[in-house]
Amino acid sequence: MANKILEKRVLRSDLFYFRIEAPELAKKAKAGQFVVVRADDNGERIPLSLANIDPDRGTISLLVQTIGVTSTKLSTLSVGDEIKDIAGPMGHKTPIEKYGRVILVGGGFGAAPLYPIGRAMKEAGNTVISITGARSADLLVYEKELGEFSDKVLISTDDGSKGHKGLVTEVLKNEIEANGADLVIAVGPAIMMKFASLTTKPYNVKTLVSLNPIMVDGTGMCGACRVSVGGKTMFGCTDGPDFDGHLVDWDLLMSRQRTYLVEEKEAMEAYTCSCAPHS
Amino acid sequence: MAETKIREYTKEEIKEIRKSRTPIPEQEPIVRGKNFEEVALGYTEEQALREANRCMACKKRDCVAGCPVEVPIPEFIQLVREGDFTGAAKKIKEKNSLPAICGRVCPQESQCESLCTLGKKMEPVAIGRLERFVADYERAHGGGGEVAKPKPTGFKVAVVGSGPAGLTVASDLAKIGHEVTIFEALHKAGGVLVYGIPEFRLPKAIVQSEVDGIASLGVKFELDSVVGKLYTVDELLERGFDAVFIGSGAGLPMFMNIPGENLNGVYSANEFLTRTNLMKAYLFPEYDTPIKKGKHVAVVGGGNVAMDSARTALRLGADKVYLVYRRSMEELPARKEEVHHAVEEGIDFKLLTNPVEIIGEDGWVKGIKCVQMELGEPDESGRRRPVVVKGSDFVIDVDTVVMSIGTGSNPIIPESTPGLELTKRGYIVADETGATSKPGVFAGGDIVTGSATVILAAGAGRRAADTIHEYLMSKVKN
Ligand SMILES: Cc1cc2nc3c(=O)[nH]c(=O)nc-3n(C[C@H](O)[C@H](O)[C@H](O)COP(=O)(O)OP(=O)(O)OC[C@H]3O[C@@H](n4cnc5c(N)ncnc54)[C@H](O)[C@@H]3O)c2cc1C
Ligand SMILES: Cc1cc2nc3c(=O)[nH]c(=O)nc-3n(C[C@H](O)[C@H](O)[C@H](O)COP(=O)(O)OP(=O)(O)OC[C@H]3O[C@@H](n4cnc5c(N)ncnc54)[C@H](O)[C@@H]3O)c2cc1C
Ligand code: SF4
Ligand code: SF4
Ligand code: FES
């Protein structure tokens, strides 16, 4: 059967890596694209970036950060289990070319798309610098993986337990000032992408961001994923997910991401209740 | 052989019953406004017999001319009269493979029933209700029996999309012995029949039973497969499919481009209905997908999609649902029956009203600003063009807005299929037979015509199946 989990790793209490058998997808998908996943029959459709694409082994990888019901359901799956639905590859691939110096900025699950993108950028002849951060050193993930292809991996932690003490955006600024950049790609929480874009703006460095609006189908059918870029409404799934970070209406994105906060909390409570052992 | 006890009507009785069509039992508006169960409950055998006896079995068969696929209407009604309901279902299926669906959702008043001879003097025969009755009867009584497996032809056909167009092509070709695979982007087959049209108008179990029936013919369903992304049309041809049929529908939602349209609480009808129907948000949190259950909802538009959205909003628990439409009641493009149902259920029709802005507060919808319209000179479509009454703007307080102003062509297939001729609006150019500009590639349904109807899509599928079959047979000769 399809979508069998071949490998699972717990990277952090809230971050899970899965390698999944999906030969057709692996043949077709490109760095920067995503899939739409459903955990079970009652499940919601959620978008997840492709964290690795291995056509030779016929597998794709996903990195799941547990936030609500679906991501939590996925996190409970084990090797040998099957994921109910995986559809894709959705969206456009990230344009891979020789730009020169490419800086990747990621946090949390943002490392997922950055891994295949960074590798492809390196293969295209770019110098690749990765910047990643977390609250503290023990929460850092993917540092080693990014190191596989990066010319340099720069770290920041809020508490200074590793690398620069402070935010990834400060490291980004320092790196641009010191060595310049031809392209910055930022992926992670909207707030991080927003500030990364604000950081690169004064230096006029082209900045790509991978937007994560709420989605349903991922095929352009519902319009849930509307984002505003350069004053124009676009669909995150079919027009993106990559957009020019300097043109994105960040406040709108963040506001729309909050649409279902109340319902999500309710769903999570119902879900954890139903999973709790009966006393 | 008659399967049921038939009732003979006397001449006198027939004269009497012809005067008015047999009403179809329905859930009371007050009750049904709170549940998602089907509104119309369907004829009993007795009611069906009564209605069938209203038909005059006209030689001219005007009704048939009104049906886009020319269902043999007098003939099937005659079989109903004789009590041979299964035979009647078979008769319909000679022309229409989806009678349980079409009987429910066809705009009969502008198709078959509009030309019914009886309708000139009295109410037309309730053809749709009878069609629905026989299809439901057949399903409940074990269907039409086993279909003999045809001899495999060795040809393989790929069908993109599992809406009425794709399902019809697939079933017709499979019956001839071609090997058919349907590629569907979503996790469930049925197209608009499962994600768009609500449960209370078309129970999903009925769609599923059609899909199961087609699967039992040997048609393979590849769900979660977006053609143009996972495989392109050209790759399907390279992978050994001898022909590809594109029935991908007109699924791209349109917006008005007025201020405030991206506020939280503004939905496209597609999103609103997909969350509710396909994802079962009305059963949240038993199902994981949420939806905002607005208390005051404005639905913008006047078609079937708008009626469905308004009535869905009501069932999700809204206190007040407005239908905002820029023309008048006469121009409403929705099925008459659904407009009638919506009125009965208490939907507030704001006619000759056009939104100009959606007003927000802290990112959420608070109201919809509209202007009053009046009807001016007729436009290209022959309908009188609505023009704005100066200074007439007013605000309706709502917390949810559903935009239901039409759909366009989805770009995924056009973008990924070189050599496919498109119209200016991005639809696929295909002739009457379903042939496109690309050899071996056929298309039909909404992706060719723009949003239309279930029966037109099914009809296009049927014609394309004939064309594809001919095309495949011509390949043998070479
Ligand atoms: C293109 C794209 C790529 C993504 N890649 C990854 C990834 O690689 N790994 C990862 O862990 N997450 C990724 N996300 C985010 C992920 O989709 C959400 O975290 C997920 O939907 C949460 O679902 P849930 O049921 O667990 O939580 P919920 O309780 O449904 O949601 C919690 C929060 O997640 C966000 N969210 C909810 N539903 C969606 C949705 N359908 N789409 C997007 N955001 C939503 C909202 O901000 C919401 O407040 C990506 C999102 C997009 C659009
Ligand atoms: C809410 C609503 C109510 C309606 N009510 C009525 C009514 O009462 N009566 C009536 O006659 N008509 C009605 N219609 C119109 C009718 O449903 C459509 O005209 C009809 O479904 C069109 O059929 P189709 O086969 O062309 O496409 P669709 O039904 O749209 O099916 C297309 C399918 O293709 C899939 N698809 C799209 N792109 C791809 C791709 N790249 N790869 C794989 N799969 C793909 C889609 O997911 C979808 O499942 C209504 C429509 C809506 C939206
Ligand atoms: S398919 Fe539709 S139009 Fe044709 S006879 Fe049946 S209900 Fe009427
Ligand atoms: S036109 Fe009306 S009365 Fe005449 S055969 Fe058709 S359905 Fe019967
Ligand atoms: S997710 Fe539905 S259109 Fe983008």
Side-chain angles (χ1 to χ4, degrees):
Chain A
M1 259 302 289
N3 307 339
K4 192 152 121 187
I5 298 173
L6 301 178
E7 187 186 339
K8 177 185 183 180
R9 281 190 276 141
V10 184
L11 306 182
R12 205 167 72 183
S13 63
D14 66 339
L15 206 55
F16 299 80
Y17 170 94
F18 294 100
R19 194 163 60 79
I20 299 149
E21 188 171 73
E24 293 299 333
L25 253 167
K27 227 183 277 173
K28 206 54 204 264
K30 291 280 181 294
Q33 290 187 295
F34 63 96
V35 289
V36 171
V37 172
R38 227 162 55 106
D40 58 28
D41 263 329
N42 293 7
E44 186 175 10
R45 297 169 63 95
I46 68 159
L48 295 170
S49 305
L50 286 160
N52 199 13
I53 304 150
D54 191 338
D56 297 333
R57 286 203 285 181
T59 65
I60 57 159
S61 302
L62 302 174
L63 209 57
V64 180
Q65 180 163 20
T66 49
I67 290 181
V69 174
T70 307
S71 46
T72 307
K73 277 181 178 174
L74 289 171
S75 73
T76 62
L77 298 178
S78 326
V79 171
D81 289 347
E82 276 158 18
I83 296 180
K84 180 79 189 157
D85 293 285
I86 302 183
M90 307 294 194
H92 293 289
K93 60 185 186 199
T94 302
I96 306 291
E97 296 167 30
K98 185 156 180 199
Y99 297 91
R101 279 181 84 79
V102 177
I103 304 182
L104 311 179
V105 189
F109 72 78
L114 287 179
Y115 181 80
I117 292 171
R119 257 188 23 183
M121 285 292 184
K122 185 68 199 173
E123 278 160 21
N126 294 288
T127 302
V128 178
I129 292 115
S130 294
I131 304 176
T132 182
R135 259 176 295 139
S136 60
D138 52 322
L139 297 176
L140 273 170
V141 292
Y142 252 60
E143 185 188 344
K144 196 173 104 250
E145 287 83 350
L146 293 172
E148 287 170 24
F149 55 79
S150 302
D151 293 271
K152 186 159 79 177
V153 180
L154 302 172
I155 306 286
S156 77
T157 49
D158 293 1
D159 64 0
S161 49
K162 186 159 185 185
H164 171 85
K165 179 174 190 304
L167 303 169
V168 281
T169 44
E170 293 158 7
V171 182
L172 173 63
K173 183 171 193 294
N174 296 341
E175 178 61 23
I176 294 175
E177 294 229 318
N179 302 309
D182 298 296
L183 178 71
V184 169
I185 306 178
V187 193
I191 189 80
M192 185 281 270
M193 293 192 279
K194 172 181 176 174
F195 282 100
S197 302
L198 287 175
T199 305
T200 58
K201 186 91 211 266
Y203 303 98
N204 230 340
V205 179
K206 184 173 170 187
T207 302
L208 281 183
V209 291
S210 178
L211 297 188
N212 50 358
I214 292 177
M215 295 187 178
V216 181
D217 58 307
T219 68
M221 182 270 278
C222 75
C225 59
R226 305 199 293 290
V227 293
S228 175
V229 182
K232 262 184 69 185
T233 295
M234 309 246 207
F235 285 5
C237 65
T238 43
D239 296 322
D242 293 348
F243 292 97
D244 180 341
H246 296 152
L247 300 178
V248 170
D249 181 339
W250 295 103
D251 296 339
L252 178 73
L253 177 72
M254 287 188 266
S255 168
R256 286 186 63 81
Q257 283 179 343
R258 286 192 294 269
T259 306
Y260 299 105
L261 280 188
V262 181
E263 288 80 4
E264 280 148 7
K265 208 167 147 253
E266 186 192 334
M268 202 56 199
E269 275 160 14
Y271 176 67
T272 40
C273 259
S274 69
C275 286
H278 296 280
S279 49
Chain B
M1 191 192 68
E3 296 171 343
T4 192
K5 229 175 96 203
I6 51 167
R7 157 131 155 62
E8 301 279 353
Y9 284 82
T10 63
K11 276 218 171 78
E12 283 314 298
E13 278 177 319
I14 288 184
K15 213 169 140 194
E16 193 52 37
I17 60 171
R18 279 211 176 121
K19 288 184 187 154
S20 64
R21 49 165 59 190
T22 316
I24 191 163
E26 288 177 349
Q27 283 195 69
E28 287 298 318
I30 184 86
V31 176
R32 70 185 192 231
K34 296 188 175 66
N35 68 47
F36 276 84
E37 277 139 51
E38 198 175 10
V39 168
L41 304 171
Y43 278 158
T44 59
E45 291 181 19
E46 220 177 7
Q47 289 165 332
L49 286 173
R50 178 186 187 276
E51 188 60 24
N53 273 284
R54 295 184 64 229
C55 173
M56 306 181 294
C58 318
K59 285 253 147 43
K60 265 185 70 206
R61 304 164 92 243
D62 281 347
C63 49
V64 178
C67 169
V69 299
E70 298 177 341
V71 164
I73 296 167
E75 290 79 3
F76 101 74
I77 295 183
Q78 182 55 36
L79 289 164
V80 174
R81 234 160 139 156
E82 292 165 11
D84 183 2
F85 305 141
T86 316
K90 282 216 181 69
K91 190 57 95 202
I92 300 173
K93 283 190 173 170
E94 287 173 9
K95 293 289 182 181
N96 172 11
S97 52
L98 306 170
I101 295 167
C102 293
R104 287 175 165 80
V105 306
C106 262
Q108 288 96 4
E109 76 271 8
S110 57
Q111 296 183 357
C112 50
E113 294 175 13
S114 73
L115 297 184
C116 170
T117 314
L118 186 65
K120 285 182 191 138
K121 294 219 184 85
M122 302 166 224
E123 285 185 280
V125 175
I127 302 166
R129 292 172 182 177
L130 287 171
E131 182 165 325
R132 163 193 171 143
F133 167 78
V134 297
D136 287 356
Y137 182 92
E138 189 197 36
R139 193 160 23 86
H141 294 79
E146 283 294 294
V147 196
K149 274 249 165 356
K151 224 176 91 214
T153 60
F155 285 108
K156 286 172 68 181
V157 181
V159 171
V160 183
S162 60
L167 290 177
T168 307
V169 173
S171 110
D172 283 6
L173 290 174
K175 281 179 193 154
I176 315 176
H178 300 303
E179 189 185 326
V180 185
T181 307
I182 296 186
F183 295 88
E184 168 55 51
L186 295 171
H187 59 266
K188 212 171 183 75
V192 168
L193 309 177
V194 289
Y195 79 71
I197 304 181
E199 180 76 17
F200 57 82
R201 212 148 66 75
L202 178 62
K204 299 309 141 214
I206 289 173
V207 183
Q208 191 58 46
S209 109
E210 296 294 348
V211 170
D212 292 345
I214 290 166
S216 75
L217 298 171
V219 172
K220 276 185 263 167
F221 285 84
E222 295 271 352
L223 304 176
D224 294 324
S225 299
V226 189
V227 174
K229 293 290 185 188
L230 192 59
Y231 322 95
T232 62
V233 169
D234 285 307
E235 282 162 355
L236 291 173
L237 291 168
E238 286 158 20
R239 277 166 171 249
F241 286 103
D242 301 289
V244 177
F245 173 84
I246 305 173
S248 54
L252 189 81
M254 299 211 279
F255 289 91
M256 293 184 79
N257 293 318
I258 56 174
E261 238 175 347
N262 291 333
L263 286 163
N264 288 353
V266 182
Y267 286 99
S268 75
N270 273 3
E271 182 187 356
F272 193 69
L273 294 170
T274 300
R275 281 183 182 274
T276 316
N277 298 321
L278 179 70
M279 306 310 298
K280 303 240 179 299
Y282 65 93
L283 299 174
F284 178 87
E286 183 192 337
Y287 283 74
D288 297 343
T289 305
I291 193 161
K292 279 286 160 199
K293 297 181 174 165
K295 281 289 153 209
H296 298 102
V297 181
V299 175
V300 181
N304 284 320
V305 189
M307 295 306 144
D308 285 345
S309 302
R311 299 171 67 202
T312 296
L314 187 78
R315 284 161 174 77
L316 287 171
D319 294 333
K320 189 83 196 160
V321 181
Y322 303 94
L323 190 113
V324 178
Y325 179 58
R326 64 195 184 115
R327 300 180 197 253
S328 66
M329 206 71 172
E330 274 118 71
E331 285 94 0
L332 275 174
R335 288 181 81 220
K336 282 270 158 358
E337 189 178 349
E338 306 315 335
V339 176
H340 169 72
H341 281 149
V343 172
E344 273 186 347
E345 288 167 14
I347 307 293
D348 190 345
F349 283 66
K350 296 280 179 202
L351 300 168
L352 288 167
T353 304
N354 203 31
V356 288
E357 182 182 349
I358 300 169
I359 298 166
E361 191 176 85
D362 302 328
W364 289 88
V365 173
K366 265 217 62 201
I368 183 166
K369 189 189 214 171
C370 300
V371 286
Q372 210 59 59
M373 312 294 281
E374 59 189 5
L375 292 179
E377 295 300 305
D379 62 12
E380 319 86 66
S381 72
R383 297 183 300 180
R384 291 173 65 194
R385 186 197 299 276
V387 288
V388 178
V389 178
K390 277 221 178 71
S392 64
D393 52 298
F394 63 101
V395 175
I396 313 175
D397 291 335
V398 290
D399 53 21
T400 307
V401 174
V402 182
M403 285 293 171
S404 178
I405 55 162
T407 50
S409 151
N410 185 297
I412 292 179
I413 294 204
E415 268 177 13
S416 63
T417 316
L420 196 59
E421 198 193 327
L422 304 174
T423 68
K424 258 201 229 96
R425 298 179 55 209
Y427 293 107
I428 297 175
V429 176
D431 64 17
E432 259 298 289
T433 72
T436 69
S437 59
K438 202 172 161 79
V441 179
F442 304 82
D446 282 4
I447 187 61
V448 171
T449 55
S451 4
T453 59
V454 171
I455 192 63
L456 284 171
R462 172 141 292 182
R463 281 194 307 278
D466 292 343
T467 314
I468 292 170
H469 179 60
E470 261 172 49
Y471 169 78
L472 295 175
M473 291 303 113
S474 75
K475 281 178 106 173
V476 184
K477 280 181 229 145
N478 301 337

